């Protein structure tokens, strides 16, 4: 993979990644082709090979890019929040908004399990890294009960993943009331006190 040296090159590479997101999302990795990606990006096949050596290389770069953009979006949105409860609330909301803009994210990431298992594992591990750190800090401040932060990070990621799948990907019906109920469940649990 070659990094662009000019603004124009950055723009071309971004067009290729945006096109790849659509093509892999619609056709799947195994049915997608470099020619379809370049056709949709409106660049030549030769231009593709300036930036990538193969379909696998752009697929990997796409997943890394989506992961980076998701984490960056959440980090920017939650950066000035002091209480972890507020960070969780805003982070979940930002994840759902990101998902609305990148509905192919689920399909693309899940394909990576069959294309490159290390990349699939990396995708979730990378998200969990920052999550674990934030949870550890909240636990040290006694904002949250003390649990294994890695366990809790994956549990919360699982909740976000499946709620997003059901209400954003399959139904486009995740309204404010459902988000409030979800956050109440996360912070207060199932048991009446």
């Amino acid at each position: 993979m070659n990094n662009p040296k000019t603004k124009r090159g950055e723009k071309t590479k971004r067009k290729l990644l945006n096109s790849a997101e659509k093509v892999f999302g619609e056709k799947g990795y195994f049915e997608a082709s470099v020619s379809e990606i370049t056709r949709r990006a409106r660049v030549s096949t030769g231009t593709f090979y300036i930036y990538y050596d193969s379909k696998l290389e752009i697929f990997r770069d796409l997943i890394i890019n989506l992961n980076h953009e998701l984490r960056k979006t959440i980090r920017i949105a939650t950066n000035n929040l002091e209480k972890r409860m507020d960070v969780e609330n805003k982070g979940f909301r930002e994840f759902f908004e990101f998902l609305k803009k990148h509905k192919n994210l689920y399909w693309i990431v899940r394909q990576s399990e069959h294309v490159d298992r290390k990349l699939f594992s990396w995708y979730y591990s990378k998200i969990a890294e920052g999550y674990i750190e934030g949870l550890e800090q909240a636990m040290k401040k006694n904002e949250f009960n003390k649990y294994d932060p890695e366990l809790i990070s994956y549990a919360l990621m699982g909740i976000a993943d499946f709620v997003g799948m059901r209400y954003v990907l399959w139904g486009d019906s995740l309204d404010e009331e459902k988000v409030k109920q979800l956050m109440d469940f996360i912070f207060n649990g199932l048991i009446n006190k």
Side-chain angles (χ1 to χ4, degrees), residues 23-155:
V23 173
F24 289 130
E26 291 168 13
K27 296 188 174 232
Y29 176 81
F30 296 104
E31 298 299 318
S33 67
V34 169
S35 62
E36 179 69 11
I37 292 168
T38 58
R39 186 183 66 73
R40 291 208 196 174
R42 295 187 174 146
V43 300
S44 70
T45 304
T47 299
F48 175 90
Y49 289 106
I50 290 171
Y51 300 100
Y52 298 103
D53 292 333
S54 65
K55 177 174 76 168
L56 179 59
E57 193 171 59
I58 194 171
F59 182 75
R60 287 176 175 152
D61 194 31
L62 175 62
I63 289 177
I64 291 166
N65 238 277
L66 287 168
N67 180 281
H68 174 76
E69 287 301 315
L70 172 60
R71 290 181 297 110
K72 179 181 171 186
T73 298
I74 293 171
R75 185 176 56 253
I76 289 170
T78 61
N79 198 31
N80 294 323
L81 301 175
E82 291 184 28
K83 293 184 180 178
R84 188 63 199 191
M85 193 171 190
D86 295 335
V87 171
E88 291 300 322
N89 195 343
K90 184 68 172 170
F92 267 75
R93 292 169 194 277
E94 288 299 317
F95 171 72
F96 297 138
E97 286 303 312
F98 187 86
L99 189 54
K100 287 178 186 176
K101 295 174 190 163
H102 299 275
K103 288 198 174 192
N104 289 325
L105 177 68
Y106 279 109
W107 178 229
I108 292 166
V109 171
R110 283 189 166 68
Q111 290 174 67
S112 70
E113 184 177 15
H114 304 286
V115 175
D116 183 339
R117 285 187 181 176
K118 285 183 182 177
L119 182 63
F120 179 73
S121 175
W122 173 89
Y123 177 86
Y124 288 103
S125 298
K126 194 68 178 168
I127 293 171
E129 278 178 18
Y131 220 152
I132 291 165
E133 186 179 312
L135 290 170
E136 284 174 339
Q137 290 172 3
M139 290 173 193
K140 284 178 186 172
K141 293 179 190 174
N142 290 319
E143 290 183 67
F144 284 179
N145 291 329
K146 289 181 176 44
Y147 295 110
D148 179 325
E150 181 181 23
L151 174 69
I152 301 307
S153 72
Y154 276 92

